[in-house]
């Protein structure tokens, strides 16, 4: 704390990202990165930007990227917003769409950045408990609110909500924005982008960090009615006119255009996830059904924090959350078959001991 700070800064509770270790030998299964590299076409497009063109500012509105997203989904570019990682897009949505003096609703077990943004933008919130099987119950979102947000699939549980359930939440809340954070949708879910023409209160956020393997590039997007997009543009243009640089815009557009690579790598991750679930179950773990590139699992005979530190000693890092309801779970990112084998071997040793 310092006398120079604006007073509210000392009350902020910032988000704590998963560890990015300096050691490269570690089997890194803790932050849901894609084990396969980005599309070679995306890499080539980024390399082509590295030259004299960098003395010029990028396109402030990222029109070519918006068009690539619009083409991918068969929508219009004015239904697309792009930003510096979906975390930034989410922040603008909280800022521009959720400050209504009524509580924002989100699940009690969910992405831990949501309460952080509420703190930053002074938004009251109410946590809605997941059911016993860690599922979102749509009927619980029929209560007065200033907005609703949840990931689909949810994080860190991996559980998917079907589109009909999302529609029932949208229909019950015609006066609120429902923000569906689809960071993991490409690993087994159906995107709510299909609903945007029917629900002017629906905003869908996505990221290129997971399924398009560009976490290091920082590109995210939102899709929805042009009125919602305009609110995000107004916030963005009051904050940073150029959140995406030339390299990011070129790489992200090319990644969206390379469907074949995207589909193939997602399919490989999904196949590895199913193998990982079977391996964990064989070791005695209970594994929640996952539609993401990670699994959420607990072992009836072993403490999760102990397993996480035991894994770390063997060079495998996974994520453990201390939060009460899920303190006995590990969130494990799906890696390559070799990484998953290393996890299985290390867990086998810890569990047999
Ligand atoms: C990873 C993740 C994000 C953030 O993605 P970035 O685009 O890398 O900022 C947003 N929401 C959820 C639920 C995530 O897991």
């Amino acid at each position: 704390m310092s006398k120079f700070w604006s007073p509210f800064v000392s009350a902020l509770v910032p988000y704590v990202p998963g560890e990015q270790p300096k050691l490269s030998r570690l089997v890194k299964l803790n932050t849901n990165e894609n084990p396969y590299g980005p599309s070679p076409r995306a890499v080539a497009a980024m390399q082509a930007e590295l030259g004299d063109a960098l003395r010029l500012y990028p396109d402030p509105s990222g029109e070519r990227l918006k068009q690539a997203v619009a083409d991918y989904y068969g929508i219009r570019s004015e239904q697309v917003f792009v930003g510096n990682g979906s975390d930034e897009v989410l922040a603008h949505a909280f800022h521009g769409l959720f400050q209504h003096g009524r509580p924002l609703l989100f699940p009690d077990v969910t992405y831990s950045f949501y309460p952080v943004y509420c703190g930053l933008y002074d938004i009251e919130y109410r946590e809605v408990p997941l059911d016993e099987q860690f599922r979102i119950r749509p009927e619980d979102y029929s209560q007065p609110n200033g907005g609703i947000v949840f990931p689909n699939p949810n994080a860190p549980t991996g559980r998917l909500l079907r589109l009909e359930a999302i529609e029932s939440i949208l229909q019950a809340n015609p006066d609120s924005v429902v923000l569906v954070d689809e960071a993991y949708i490409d690993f087994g879910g159906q995107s709510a982008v299909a609903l945007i023409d029917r629900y002017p209160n629906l905003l869908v956020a996505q990221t290129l960090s997971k399924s398009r393997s560009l976490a290091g590039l920082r590109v995210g997007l939102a899709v929805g009615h042009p009125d919602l997009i305009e609110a995000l543009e107004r916030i963005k243009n009051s904050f940073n006119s150029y959140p995406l640089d030339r390299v990011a815009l070129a790489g992200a557009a090319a990644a969206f255009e390379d469907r074949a690579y995207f589909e193939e790598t997602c399919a490989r991750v999904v196949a590895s996830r199913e193998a990982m679930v079977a391996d964990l179950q064989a070791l005695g773990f209970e594994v929640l059904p996952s539609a993401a590139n990670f699994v959420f699992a607990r072992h009836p005979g072993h403490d999760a924090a102990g397993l996480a530190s035991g894994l770390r000693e063997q060079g495998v890092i996974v994520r453990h959350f201390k939060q009460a309801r899920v303190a006995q779970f590990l969130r494990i990112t799906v890696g390559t078959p070799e990484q998953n084998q290393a996890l299985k071997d290390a867990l086998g040793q810890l569990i047999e001991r």
Side-chain angles (χ1 to χ4, degrees):
M1 229 228 266
S2 150
K3 67 176 180 183
F4 300 115
W5 291 9
S6 303
F8 84 98
V9 174
S10 57
L12 291 178
V13 184
Y15 177 73
V16 183
E19 182 189 358
Q20 294 297 340
K22 302 283 177 293
L23 293 170
S24 57
R25 290 189 314 280
L26 291 175
V27 175
K28 189 174 179 306
L29 304 178
N30 67 329
T31 53
N32 300 343
E33 288 134 335
N34 198 307
Y36 304 110
S39 151
R41 282 171 57 182
V43 174
M46 291 187 275
Q47 275 162 346
E49 286 299 313
L50 298 178
D52 186 61
L54 286 179
R55 72 193 174 75
L56 300 171
Y57 280 105
D59 172 10
S61 69
E63 197 46 48
R64 175 157 173 254
L65 172 56
K66 286 180 179 173
Q67 195 57 54
V69 174
D71 290 346
Y72 179 84
Y73 281 113
I75 57 177
R76 290 173 287 120
S77 68
E78 64 263 34
Q79 295 171 301
V80 183
F81 177 80
V82 294
N84 189 259
S86 65
D87 286 339
E88 183 184 85
V89 176
L90 293 169
H92 290 343
F94 275 59
H95 202 177
L97 300 168
F98 289 154
Q99 284 187 329
H100 295 295
R102 296 184 301 280
L104 177 69
L105 305 180
F106 51 79
D108 62 339
V109 177
T110 197
Y111 188 37
S112 52
F113 227 133
Y114 302 156
V116 174
Y117 295 135
C118 288
L120 179 60
Y121 297 121
D122 204 14
I123 297 165
E124 188 196 333
Y125 63 89
R126 184 173 298 147
E127 295 177 325
V128 181
L130 298 175
D131 74 7
E132 289 302 303
Q133 279 86 50
F134 297 95
R135 288 177 301 206
I136 289 173
R137 269 187 306 238
E139 58 273 27
D140 293 348
Y141 291 80
S142 297
Q143 55 173 301
N145 65 75
I148 294 169
V149 59
F150 54 85
N152 194 41
N154 195 7
T157 65
R159 297 212 70 155
L160 182 75
L161 201 58
R162 291 178 310 119
L163 280 193
E164 302 86 272
I166 292 176
E167 279 202 82
S168 74
I169 294 173
L170 287 161
Q171 285 163 2
N173 293 280
D175 298 324
S176 297
V177 170
V178 178
L179 171 51
V180 183
D181 177 356
E182 293 191 333
Y184 303 102
I185 195 68
D186 300 317
F187 300 108
Q190 224 186 322
S191 175
V193 168
L195 303 176
I196 59 164
D197 283 333
R198 275 187 286 147
Y199 296 97
N201 57 331
L202 169 63
L203 188 70
V204 179
Q206 292 193 354
T207 175
L208 280 79
S209 297
K210 289 25 186 280
S211 57
R212 289 186 176 79
S213 202
L214 288 166
L217 198 64
R218 313 304 304 129
V219 185
L221 58 105
V223 173
H225 191 283
D227 288 350
L228 300 184
I229 301 304
E230 191 187 337
L232 302 180
E233 294 288 353
R234 291 175 68 101
I235 297 270
K236 172 232 165 211
N237 289 322
S238 306
F239 179 78
N240 178 2
S241 317
Y242 305 105
L244 290 173
D245 58 72
R246 286 179 166 271
V247 178
L249 287 170
F256 257 93
E257 286 158 4
D258 192 353
R259 271 185 200 238
Y261 183 88
F262 162 75
E263 284 166 10
E264 191 214 310
T265 47
C266 284
R268 283 162 79 181
V269 170
V270 169
S272 291
R273 177 185 72 215
E274 298 316 311
M276 178 184 271
V277 169
D279 288 345
L280 290 170
Q281 285 171 337
L283 287 164
F285 279 89
E286 177 202 341
V287 187
L288 296 188
S290 171
N293 69 337
F294 59 84
V295 300
F296 206 47
R298 67 179 154 195
H299 197 286
H302 290 267
D303 177 59
L307 286 175
S309 61
L311 282 173
R312 198 170 208 299
E313 282 165 23
Q314 300 191 56
V316 179
I317 49 176
V318 301
R319 193 100 196 249
H320 172 249
F321 298 94
K322 292 193 180 72
Q323 197 193 339
R325 262 189 100 180
V326 296
Q328 284 312 321
F329 281 87
L330 296 176
R331 193 197 68 189
I332 310 172
T333 304
V334 176
T336 61
E338 297 72 31
Q339 292 176 312
N340 300 344
Q341 184 65 42
L343 169 84
K344 181 183 168 183
D345 294 345
L347 278 176
Q349 287 199 27
L350 293 169
I351 280 163
E352 275 154 33
R353 253 197 241 145

